[in-house]
Amino acid sequence: MTNNAGTWTQTVGSLANGTVLEYWFTYEKSGPQYDTPHFTYTQGGGGTGTVATPTFTPAAGTYASAQSVTLADATAGASIRYTRDGSTPTAASTLYSGPISVTATTTIKAIAIKSGLADSAVASATYTIGASASCPAQSDTPNFGPNVHIYDPSMSSATIQAQLDAQFAQMKDTASAQFSENRVAQLFKPGTYAVDDNVGYYTSVAGLGQNPGDVTINGHVTVDAFNASDAGNATQNFWRSAENLAINPVGGNRWAVAQAAPFRRIDVRGDLQLYPASYGWASGGYIADTKVSGQAASISQQQWYTRDSNLGSWAGGVWNMVFSGTVGAPANTFPNPPETTLATTPVSRDVPYLYVDGAGKYRVFLPSLRTSASGASWANGSTPGTSQPMSQFYVVKAGDTAATINNALSQGCNLFVTPGVYHLNQTLNITRPNTVVLGIGYPTFVPDNGVNAIQVADVDGVRLKGLLIDAGTTNSAALLTVGPSGSSASHAGNPTTVQDVFFRIGGQIAGKATTSLIVNSNNVIVDHIWAWRADHGKAGSFGWTTNTADTGVIVNGSSVLATGLFVEHYQKHEVVWNGQNGKTIFFQNEMPYDVPNQGAWMSAAGVNGYAAYKVGAGVTTHEAWGLGSYCYFNVNPAVNSYHAFEVPNTPGVKFHNALTVSLGGVGTITHVINDTGAVTASNTTPSNVVAYP
C-alpha cells in the first residue's frame, strides 16, 4: 500500500465488470496489531455491496478417508446455501447449518446470501474420497530459501565463522531480537568444522548426517547470558535449538537456556554446562537422545528434563530435575536433592530430521517407535527407522499461503517448513496418515481472523516437529487440535507425535486463543512443548485483558503421554486432562503473573484461583512424575491459589514428586495437591509432596 498524505491506497487494475474483490488488512496502533473485517467490492456494481464468497475447510482435494467439510463466510450475518450434486446453488438450496459429511467423491457448490447485498459468487470444491493421494514429485535437492544456511567442510573455517557471527549479531539481543521476525537455520553437511557457534533467538543448528558423529564441531555450540541487559541470567533464552551433531568442546560446552530450546541427538565429547558463565539463574530446558561423555551440570537451572540419553555423570539441582530412560542419571532422591528418575521412558519416538545421503540428495529420517527406552537411540549404532526422499516433501518458504500449503497436503505431500513467519487465513488440515510436518529455524504460523491454525485428523502416525504457533489478534478457539471431538480409534502401534511445537499468546502481537493445544486422539505422544501466554513482550501485546487465553493444554484422548510439558501463565487451568490412562513425565508451570484481584480469579465459589494441572473428575487412571508449579502474583501479591494440582481421590490417579514455589514470596499457593502440602514459604523454598495419594 502507498501512503498519500495520510491516506493508504492500493490500486488494482484491469478488472472486468462483475469481478468481485474481497479485501482486508492488518494495521498497527501503539504497538498491538489488529485485523480489519473482510470487505468486498464489485467492479461495475453501481455501489451495491456483494457478499463474500464462501470458503471450504478442508480444501478441495484427494483424501483417503471421509471428510467433515465446514463452510464459512466473511460477511457477518450472511447465510450459506449449498448443493452436493454439482448443480448451481440458489436461495432455495439447502441451508448450511453445520459440517457436511463427505463419504464418497462429491462436488459441493455454495453461495452466500444477505438481504440488501448482492449474492456472492459461486464457490465450488470437489472432494475425491477413497483414492490414495500421491505427492507430485518435488526436488531431492530443493531450494530452501534465503534463511537456511548450508555449510560444507570444503568452505574455509574463517568464512563459516564470519557468517555464523553475522547471524548471531542479528539474533543475539534479548531486548531487540526476542520478538523480531528474523528466523534462521544453520545446517552442516557431513564433515569436520573448527568453529564456535553462538546461538541466538529463533536459530536452529543441525548436522546433516544420518547420525550425530557424521558432523563434528571442534569448538562449541553455545548459549549463554550474552547481553548486559540479561544481568547474568539466562531466564529469557527461549526459541533456539541444536540437533544431530558431535561437539569436541575445549573446557566443556555451555547450553544455558530457558524454555523452547531443545538439545537433541548431540554427542558431547566432554562436559555439558547448562548454566550461564556468571552462574545466574536459568529457568529450565530439555535434552533428548543425547550422549555426554563427561559431566552434565545444571547448577543454577531451576528445572530440567532429560530423556533417553547417556550421561557420564550429573551434578546439581534446584527444584525439579527429572530423568527418564537416561543411563548415568542420578538416583531418585526427591526432594533432597530434587531428582526424579525413571529407569525407562514408557513410549517414545525420536524426532524426524533432515540429512544428506551419499549421492548428495536430501532425505528425512523417521526414527522407529521405542517402548521402555533407555539410552540414546544411536548409542549402539545407527538410529532404527526409515527415511523418505525430499521428493515427497513440499518445501514451505516465503510466498506460501494457507491455500498453497493445504493444496500440497491434499495432494499427499509432507511438509518441510523453512524459517519464516506465515500468516494463515484458513486452517491447515492434516488428514493423511503418516504425514510429516518438519520445521527448522522456528517457522511461525500466525492464524488470522480467528481461524484455528492446524487440525489433525484421527489417523495414524502424523509427526509434527519444530513449529511455533503465534496466536493472531482475533481470538482462535484452538491453535492446534489433534483429532476431532469424540475420536475413538486406537493408535497404539503408530501414534501421532507432537515434538518441539511451541505456542505463544502475546509478546509479539496482542494474540488471543481460548486453548493452545487440544488432544482428542488416543495414544498421542506430546514430547517437549512450551505453551506460553506472554508475561512480557512488546508494548501493548500483553496484559490481563489483552492477550487472553484460558487453557494451555486439554487432553481428551486416552493413553496420551506427555514427556516434557511446559505450560505457563494461562488465565484458568493451565492443563486439563480428561482422558483415561494418561501419563506425564515432567511438568513445569508458572501461574499467571498479572491476576488483578482475587475476585477475577476464582475457579469455583469459595475456591481461590485455578489449579495449574487438573485431572478430570471422571478419570480413574492417571500417573505423573516430577511436577512443579510456581506463583509470582506481581500485579497483586495478595492473590492466592488454593492448590496447584487438582485430582480425583482414587487409587488409580497417582502423582510422584510434586512441588510448589512462591517466587520471592509474591503471592501464595495454599496446598500442593488437593488439600495436601504446605503453604508456599516466603523465601522461595519449595513445598514438596513425594507421593499422592
Side-chain angles (χ1 to χ4, degrees), residues 424-427 446-454 474-479:
L424 306 176
N425 63 358
Q426 59 183 251
T427 301
V446 184
D448 294 327
N449 306 310
V451 301
N452 295 356
I454 302 175
T474 301
N475 188 75
S476 295
L479 298 180

Side-chain angles (χ1 to χ4, degrees), residues 404-466:
T404 62
I405 298 169
N406 270 329
N407 182 60
L409 289 167
S410 71
Q411 291 178 316
C413 296
N414 302 302
L415 301 179
F416 186 89
V417 192
T418 67
V421 178
Y422 304 92
H423 284 262
L424 306 176
N425 63 358
Q426 59 183 251
T427 301
L428 302 184
N429 287 283
I430 300 170
T431 61
R432 182 176 58 85
N434 302 310
T435 298
V436 179
V437 179
L438 172 57
I440 58 169
Y442 290 80
T444 303
F445 290 129
V446 184
D448 294 327
N449 306 310
V451 301
N452 295 356
I454 302 175
Q455 294 180 177
V456 180
D458 189 32
V459 295
D460 275 358
V462 172
R463 306 186 196 217
L464 305 180
K465 193 268 181 180

Side-chain angles (χ1 to χ4, degrees), residues 430-617:
I430 300 170
T431 61
R432 182 176 58 85
N434 302 310
T435 298
V436 179
V437 179
L438 172 57
I440 58 169
Y442 290 80
T444 303
F445 290 129
V446 184
D448 294 327
N449 306 310
V451 301
N452 295 356
I454 302 175
Q455 294 180 177
V456 180
D458 189 32
V459 295
D460 275 358
V462 172
R463 306 186 196 217
L464 305 180
K465 193 268 181 180
L467 306 173
L468 173 58
I469 306 178
D470 201 358
T473 56
T474 301
N475 188 75
S476 295
L479 298 180
L480 168 62
T481 301
V482 181
S485 178
S487 295
S488 58
S490 172
H491 306 289
N494 187 14
T496 285
T497 45
V498 179
Q499 299 176 288
D500 301 345
V501 175
F502 309 121
F503 306 88
R504 184 167 66 190
I505 316 289
Q508 177 77 20
I509 56 177
K512 298 173 174 63
T514 305
T515 307
S516 289
L517 170 63
I518 300 175
V519 179
N520 292 316
S521 289
N522 299 330
N523 311 105
V524 173
I525 300 172
V526 179
D527 178 42
H528 189 224
I529 69 161
W530 186 36
W532 185 62
R533 175 182 167 264
D535 62 285
H536 66 277
K538 291 183 176 180
S541 70
F542 63 98
W544 188 251
T545 59
T546 300
N547 58 327
T548 53
D550 285 356
T551 303
V553 179
I554 298 176
V555 177
N556 298 316
S558 65
S559 301
V560 172
L561 170 65
T563 51
L565 194 58
F566 298 73
V567 187
E568 297 191 286
H569 308 309
Y570 288 80
Q571 293 172 292
K572 294 184 179 178
H573 298 297
E574 314 275 335
V575 173
V576 177
W577 204 298
N578 298 315
Q580 298 287 356
N581 197 35
K583 292 182 173 65
T584 293
I585 305 173
F586 184 87
F587 172 68
Q588 184 264 320
N589 164 258
E590 287 183 356
M591 293 180 173
Y593 288 179
D594 53 346
V595 181
N597 55 71
Q598 194 67 65
W601 201 53
M602 302 285 290
S603 57
V607 180
N608 287 347
Y610 287 81
Y613 189 114
K614 175 181 171 65
V615 179

Side-chain angles (χ1 to χ4, degrees), residues 94-106:
T94 304
L95 175 66
Y96 175 76
S97 59
I100 303 166
S101 178
V102 180
T103 59
T105 299
T106 302

Side-chain angles (χ1 to χ4, degrees), residues 8-57:
W8 290 89
T9 60
Q10 175 71 40
T11 301
V12 180
S14 303
L15 298 180
N17 282 346
T19 300
V20 179
L21 283 179
E22 181 182 2
Y23 62 96
W24 64 97
F25 57 93
T26 300
Y27 64 97
E28 182 173 304
K29 182 178 180 182
S30 301
Q33 295 179 343
Y34 303 88
D35 297 324
T36 70
H38 286 225
F39 305 95
T40 58
Y41 166 79
T42 302
Q43 176 69 12
T48 301
T50 301
V51 181
T53 304
T55 58
F56 299 82
T57 302

Side-chain angles (χ1 to χ4, degrees), residues 140 353-357 361-365 387-390:
D140 281 323
Y353 58 90
L354 184 70
Y355 74 100
V356 179
D357 68 13
K361 295 181 178 180
Y362 289 92
R363 302 181 67 88
V364 171
F365 194 82
S387 72
Q388 289 193 8
M390 283 300 290

Side-chain angles (χ1 to χ4, degrees), residues 148-153 185-193 197 204-217 221 241-247 264-267 351-357 362-365 416 438 440 465:
V148 176
H149 304 270
I150 299 176
Y151 301 109
D152 187 284
Q186 300 166 346
L187 306 181
F188 293 83
K189 288 185 175 181
T192 300
Y193 301 82
D197 194 352
S204 293
V205 181
L208 289 172
Q210 190 168 346
N211 291 294
D214 295 339
V215 174
T216 301
I217 304 293
V221 179
S241 66
E243 184 175 339
N244 197 36
L245 45 78
I247 306 171
R264 290 184 179 273
R265 292 182 58 80
I266 306 289
D267 185 1
V351 293
Y353 58 90
L354 184 70
Y355 74 100
V356 179
D357 68 13
Y362 289 92
R363 302 181 67 88
V364 171
F365 194 82
F416 186 89
L438 172 57
I440 58 169
K465 193 268 181 180

